[in-house]
Amino acid sequence: MVLSLRRGLQWLRLLILFGVLACMFFYSLRLFTDWITPVDHYRIPEGHAIKVFGGQTVNEGSEQRIGVLERLRFFYWYGE
């Protein structure tokens, strides 16, 4: 069996080129997915913003608590 050094180096060059191109493709897709990923709606609010869905929500005019079903109804009613 004859092993050619030139043919082996060509395969090695092809393998290295494939690896480099695959890494470039992977990192370009990673940058694209970071750009297209939606905003995290569950992050901690900043500035004067407050988080609405807390443990206990109280109406400003009364001391009545809003139940989970009522919140779900409002959610579907306003379409958010």
Side-chain angles (χ1 to χ4, degrees):
M1 176 181 214
V2 178
L3 295 176
S4 172
L5 183 60
R6 182 175 293 173
R7 190 168 194 165
L9 290 176
Q10 284 178 348
W11 275 104
L12 182 63
R13 189 180 82 187
L14 180 67
L15 184 66
I16 290 172
L17 182 65
F18 178 77
V20 168
L21 289 176
C23 286
M24 287 175 51
F25 183 70
F26 170 75
Y27 284 113
S28 65
L29 282 179
R30 192 172 179 191
L31 287 174
F32 182 71
T33 55
D34 288 343
W35 175 66
I36 204 168
T37 302
V39 178
D40 182 20
H41 295 289
Y42 299 106
R43 67 177 172 21
I44 298 172
E46 299 172 356
H48 295 292
I50 59 171
K51 197 163 191 128
V52 175
F53 190 73
Q56 297 177 356
T57 305
V58 178
N59 287 340
E60 290 184 19
S62 66
E63 292 296 322
Q64 181 182 4
R65 286 182 48 148
I66 298 175
V68 175
L69 292 176
E70 190 71 17
R71 287 187 198 163
L72 187 62
R73 187 177 70 84
F74 283 142
F75 176 79
Y76 287 124
W77 180 260
Y78 291 120
E80 294 181 0

